[in-house]
């Protein structure tokens, strides 16, 4: 009783609200300018299309294709969406609006025009094939203009068309493409987005995935609620209710309260926007739902209300549907005579070509006549139903006949002639047995054919597989690569390439079932830890998705050293149909020869590069000085080679090496200087390792001979005797270049380099020794006075280096002065205390620095720090009969002063020289 009261109240409210909304609609006006704003126009269309269309009709005369083309097209487009084109324009204007929409780039509107045009056409035959061609042509046109939104809209319309014609398999790839399109772009227009989502939900419904379809439609419904789009929400609720009604009866009973709520809300929205047709559709669907759930009385009331509204709207097709539903509900409520009257009425409305509707009418008529006790007419209706049903579905003819026989029953025939039935029972049974026998025979024959066909297919497949395996085996046997498949436990499967046995040195076909990683990464080898990590990573990936492989595959080695072989490994996962890893394909190649060749090529490249650098050093240096240096080296090399392995001679060897290194560096021979530096390091780090010293000496000797060979090949000179230079000024060019380069590299400012040579006639034989002493002295001044303090963040002045030579009647004083940070006296005192050094009479604390291996530097560089430079200077000075001292400069910095007998350095006899004081 409460349900009837609810329905009466709902219907009363509906008619009251419809009349009220009509009055309100008259008070609102529509501004033609709104037709320019597509998003706002779409929202209005999704909210209250009826009111919008009425306003457009009132203002349509103000628009024109030439004066206001966009507004004119949009007005006709709204009529298309409302399915009311005939109320606004004729076919010519419709075609013009469609073409102008495409020309003006209004592609979304063009899609709706084309869809309406395709679906409105009437085809004589092959309607589906012809409409499909039209849709395909539309999609092809959309791909050429590259409008993503329009293409997605067209694909969604195409999907709905295919689904309505039960072409699910053809529809699925199309809706997938539309879904991908709206995912690839941002800010998809709401109507396009929802159109694609609706088509996707519809495809899920046709696939039987009701929960997934409902979830998508609920998502769309929530958006319509938030945007307060009444018409769009009412239509979406209609589709949602139809989808939920497709559930099994137990689930439908569970969701029935929610469905009733959705239907009531949709009816309320339809009344609010004055859409009586939409209200009628919801009442129709609600009535079907009630009938399905055995609530027939409520179903009758709803069906009658829906029918009244369909008749009011003049929707002939829906009136016919409503009458059929109404007749069905009347039969369920045992109002048979009334249902026959309704069936007579609907029979006149239905088209004769709609055999399905007529078969349904005859089915309902048969049920009503049978219940009214009119067997003759019931049989006639049943025969008509059977004939119609056979025409619509010939494949189900036997099933329909059996169902008709059951509906008709044998009771009526038994009542007419019970005795005849009894007499024929035996005959019927015999016939039935015969039919069963025939049926069994046919089934046996058919089953035999099926079995033979299956056996033939299996035999063919087995042959193909056997040939494929043989072909694979031939391939594996012929390639020089180990290819193996590992199962989920990382053990070798039986089929693998024979080359794998060759790599591991195993007997043929004996690796099956072996854990391959235990062979590759044997315990106790350097690769054991690498193997443990690889094994854990592979076991982690088994049974997992591709992402797990991508995260762990970085731990797998791609090249390992196996005994004396270099093996290259390539790992490839094999996936199941569920995209999980089930096995691994491992490819192993022996690339030992390739790596050896690469190593030789690299060595050869390095040798050529070094040779090129040596050539550049020789060609960029001072040819005469370079030849003089190598002439000296060639003369002294055999003697030094004899002392190199004698521990007691290392101090003298270090002095000579340090001198050669400085000369090579000054002349720009960096590679030679670097190799001599390595020889020094070897003598200091491993003085007792004769093998290391001998190997390093052989390497240095090879470099030395390379330079000699290049000099003999490239440098051509007509001179037979060459000297370094004739005075200090000529030497200065060599020192100046090195001072400039080294200070610039260290970032130290430079003031200048001054040379003052008061000696008029140097002896030629002593100039090489003078050169060696000055070489060490200048390097020592640059390093200790400027570069090292700068590296220790001390403030240094702009570098000024001076070389001065003064001659008196009896001696020559040679000085090297700088304006650097000076002598580190604190460091020097600490070293003296550590070494228990006590200056003797006539000695200074600085004499400690002339000892072998003593330096105030805390680190070793290519030019200083080994305690060799000052020791070499002192040795050369004593060799020439001189004396040496190191002291603070008069204006700061340090001063290295050497005094020699005049006769040992100067050719000419003493003249009346003034005894110049040494310059500061």
């Amino acid at each position: 009783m409460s349900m009837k009261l609810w329905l009466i109240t709902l219907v009363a409210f509906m008619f009251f609200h419809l009349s009220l909304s009509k009055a309100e609609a008259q008070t609102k006006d529509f501004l033609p300018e709104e037709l320019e704003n597509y998003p706002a126009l779409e929202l209005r269309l999704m909210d209250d299309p009826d009111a919008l269309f009425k306003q457009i009709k009132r203002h349509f005369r103000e628009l024109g294709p030439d004066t206001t083309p966009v507004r004119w097209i949009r007005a006709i487009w709204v009529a298309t969406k409302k399915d009311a084109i005939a109320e606004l324009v004729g076919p010519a204007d419709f075609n013009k609006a469609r073409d102008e929409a495409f020309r003006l780039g209004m592609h979304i509107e063009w899609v709706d025009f084309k869809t309406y045009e395709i679906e409105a056409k009437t085809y004589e035959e092959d309607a589906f094939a012809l409409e499909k061609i039209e849709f395909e042509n539309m999609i092809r046109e959309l791909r050429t203009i590259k409008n993503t939104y329009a293409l997605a809209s067209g694909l969604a319309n195409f999907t709905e068309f295919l689904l309505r014609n039960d072409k699910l398999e053809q529809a699925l790839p199309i809706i997938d493409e539309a879904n991908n399109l709206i995912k690839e772009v941002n800010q998809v227009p709401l109507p396009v987005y929802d159109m694609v989502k609706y088509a996707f939900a519809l495809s899920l419904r046709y696939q039987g995935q009701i929960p997934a379809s409902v979830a998508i439609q609920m998502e769309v419904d929530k958006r319509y609620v938030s945007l307060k789009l009444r018409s769009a929400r009412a239509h979406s609720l209609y589709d949602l209710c139809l989808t939920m009604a497709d559930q099994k009866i137990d689930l439908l009973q569970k969701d029935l309260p929610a469905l009733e709520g959705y239907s009531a809300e949709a009816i309320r929205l339809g009344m609010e926007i004055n859409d009586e047709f939409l209200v009628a559709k919801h009442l129709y669907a609600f009535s079907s739902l009630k009938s399905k759930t055995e609530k027939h009385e409520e179903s009758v009331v709803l069906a009658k209300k829906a029918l009244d509204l369909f008749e009011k709207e003049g929707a002939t097709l829906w009136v016919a549907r409503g009458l059929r539903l109404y007749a069905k509900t009347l039969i369920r409520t045992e109002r048979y005579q009334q249902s026959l009257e309704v069936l007579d009425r609907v029979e006149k409305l239905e088209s004769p070509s709609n055999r399905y509707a007529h078969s349904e009418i005859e089915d309902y008529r048969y049920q009503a006549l049978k219940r009214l006790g009119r067997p003759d007419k019931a049989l006639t209706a049943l025969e008509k139903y059977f004939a119609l049903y056979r025409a619509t579905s010939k494949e189900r003819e036997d099933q329909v006949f059996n169902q008709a026989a059951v509906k008709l029953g044998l009771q009526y025939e038994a009542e007419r002639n019970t005795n005849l039935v009894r007499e024929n029972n035996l005959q019927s049974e015999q016939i039935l047995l015969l039919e069963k026998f025939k049926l069994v025979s046919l089934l046996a024959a058919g089953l035999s054919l099926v079995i033979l066909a299956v056996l033939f297919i299996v035999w063919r497949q087995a042959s193909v597989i056997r040939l494929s395996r043989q072909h694979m085996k031939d391939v594996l046997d012929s390639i020089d690569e180990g290819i193996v498949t590992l199962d989920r436990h990382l053990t070798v499967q039986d089929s693998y390439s024979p080359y794998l046995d060759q790599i591991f040195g195993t007997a043929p076909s004996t690796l099956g079932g072996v854990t391959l990683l235990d062979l590759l990464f044997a315990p106790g080898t350097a690769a054991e830890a690498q193997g443990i990590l690889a094994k854990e990573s592979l076991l982690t990936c088994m049974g997992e998705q591709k992402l797990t492989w991508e995260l762990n595959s970085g731990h797998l080695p791609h090249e390992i050293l196996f005994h004396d072989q270099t093996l290259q490994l390539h790992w490839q996962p094999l996936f199941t149909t569920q995209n999980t890893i089930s096995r691994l394909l491992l490819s192993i190649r022996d690339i030992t020869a390739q790596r050896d060749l690469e190593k030789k090529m690299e060595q050869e490249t390095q040798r050529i590069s070094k040779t090129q650098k040596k050539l550049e050093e020789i060609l960029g240096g001072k040819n005469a000085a370079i030849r003089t240096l190598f002439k000296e080296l060639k003369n002294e090399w055999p003697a030094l080679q004899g002392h190199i392995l004698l521990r007691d001679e290392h101090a003298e060897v270090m002095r000579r090496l340090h001198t050669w290194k400085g000369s090579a560096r000054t002349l720009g021979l960096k590679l030679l200087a670097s190799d001599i530096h390595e020889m020094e390091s070897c003598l200091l780090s491993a003085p007792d390792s004769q093998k290391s010293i001998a190997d390093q000496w052989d390497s240095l000797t090879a470099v030395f001979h390379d330079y000699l060979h290049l000099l003999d090949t490239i440098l051509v000179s007509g001179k037979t005797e060459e000297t370094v230079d004739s005075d200090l000024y000529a030497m200065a060019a060599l020192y100046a270049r090195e001072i400039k380069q080294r200070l610039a590299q260290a970032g130290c400012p430079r003031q200048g380099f001054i040379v003052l040579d008061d000696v008029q006639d140097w002896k030629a034989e002593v100039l090489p020794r003078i050169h060696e002493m000055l070489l060490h002295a200048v390097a020592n001044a640059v390093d200790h006075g400027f570069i090292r303090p700068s590296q220790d963040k001390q403030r240094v002045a702009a570098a000024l280096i001076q070389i001065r030579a003064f001659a008196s009647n009896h001696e020559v004083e040679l000085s090297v002065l700088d304006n650097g940070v000076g002598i580190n006296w604190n460091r020097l005192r600490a070293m003296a205390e550590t070494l228990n050094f006590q200056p003797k009479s006539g000695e200074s604390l600085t004499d400690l620095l002339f000892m072998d291996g003593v330096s105030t530097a805390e680190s070793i560089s290519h030019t200083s720090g080994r305690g060799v430079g000052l020791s070499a200077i002192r040795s050369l000075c004593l060799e020439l009969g001189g004396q040496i001292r190191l002291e603070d400069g008069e204006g700061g910095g340090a001063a290295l002063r050497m005094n020699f007998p005049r006769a040992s350095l100067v050719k000419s006899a003493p003249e009346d020289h003034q005894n110049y004081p040494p310059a500061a």
Side-chain angles (χ1 to χ4, degrees), residues 574-583:
L574 302 178
F575 294 91
T576 64
T577 54
Q578 288 77 31
N579 290 324
T580 59
I581 300 174
S582 61
R583 295 177 298 160

Side-chain angles (χ1 to χ4, degrees), residues 21-36:
S21 59
K22 288 181 180 178
E24 289 178 352
Q26 301 300 324
T27 63
K28 297 180 181 178
D29 196 12
F30 172 73
L31 296 176
E33 290 79 5
E34 293 185 42
L35 290 169
E36 299 281 356

Side-chain angles (χ1 to χ4, degrees), residues 740-808:
K740 180 179 180 181
Q741 290 177 351
R742 295 188 58 217
L743 288 173
Q745 290 173 357
C748 297
R750 180 169 56 88
Q751 182 177 346
F753 177 50
I754 298 174
V755 178
L756 181 60
D757 187 0
D758 185 54
V759 178
Q760 300 297 320
D761 194 6
W762 294 91
K763 288 184 178 181
E765 61 270 19
V766 302
L767 280 175
R769 294 292 178 261
I770 298 296
H771 167 65
E772 292 176 10
M773 288 188 290
L774 291 178
L775 183 69
H776 291 303
V778 169
N780 194 73
V782 171
D783 269 10
H784 292 278
F786 303 98
I787 294 178
R788 286 185 180 274
S790 175
Q791 292 172 346
D792 294 338
K793 309 302 181 184
Q794 296 185 45
R795 186 174 181 180
V796 296
L800 176 63
I801 308 294
Q802 301 183 59
I803 298 176
R804 297 183 178 183
F806 293 97
S808 65

Side-chain angles (χ1 to χ4, degrees), residues 364-522:
Y364 294 157
R365 180 177 283 133
Y366 159 73
Q367 296 180 37
L369 290 170
K370 182 180 178 182
R371 298 298 189 279
L372 290 172
R374 302 175 189 174
D376 294 335
K377 291 185 178 181
L379 183 59
T380 302
L382 186 59
E383 289 174 350
K384 290 183 179 180
Y385 165 71
F386 181 66
L388 289 167
Y389 199 81
R390 178 184 294 176
T392 57
S393 180
K394 188 172 180 61
E395 294 178 356
R396 297 178 57 191
E397 180 178 358
D398 294 336
Q399 181 181 356
V400 172
F401 178 80
N402 292 332
Q403 291 174 354
V406 171
K407 290 179 180 180
L408 179 61
L410 298 177
Q411 183 179 358
Y412 173 70
E413 191 68 21
E415 291 175 354
R416 288 178 53 191
N417 201 350
T418 303
N419 292 329
L420 183 61
V421 171
R422 289 176 181 177
E423 290 176 1
N424 291 331
N425 276 342
L426 181 60
Q427 185 179 359
S428 298
E429 290 177 3
Q430 290 175 349
I431 294 173
L432 183 61
L433 288 173
L434 181 61
E435 292 295 329
K436 287 183 178 179
F437 177 75
K438 290 181 179 179
L439 180 61
V440 169
S441 300
L442 289 173
L443 288 174
L447 184 60
S448 300
L449 290 174
V450 170
I451 292 173
L452 288 174
V454 170
L455 290 174
F456 177 74
I457 293 172
V458 169
W459 176 78
R460 287 292 303 273
Q461 291 295 329
S463 301
V464 171
I465 293 172
R466 186 166 54 255
L467 290 174
S468 177
R469 287 181 176 177
Q470 183 60 42
H471 177 69
M472 181 61 69
K473 185 177 183 302
D474 294 341
V475 172
L476 292 176
D477 291 346
S478 61
I479 61 174
D480 293 338
E481 186 171 350
I483 299 178
V484 60
T485 306
L486 307 180
D487 61 18
R488 62 186 306 106
H489 303 295
L490 306 183
T491 57
V492 178
Q493 295 189 327
D494 291 336
S495 296
Y496 61 87
S497 60
Y499 190 73
L500 204 64
D501 292 318
Q502 182 178 338
I503 292 176
F504 291 107
T506 55
S509 303
T510 58
L511 288 176
V514 174
T515 304
L516 190 63
L517 269 65
D518 292 342
L519 289 177
L520 288 172
F521 309 99

Side-chain angles (χ1 to χ4, degrees), residues 328-345:
K328 177 182 176 181
T329 57
L330 289 172
I331 292 172
R332 296 290 187 272
T333 55
E334 301 181 0
R335 301 169 189 174
Y336 305 121
Q337 186 59 44
Q338 190 177 351
S339 69
L340 289 175
E341 296 172 1
V342 173
L343 290 171
D344 291 339
R345 182 182 170 193

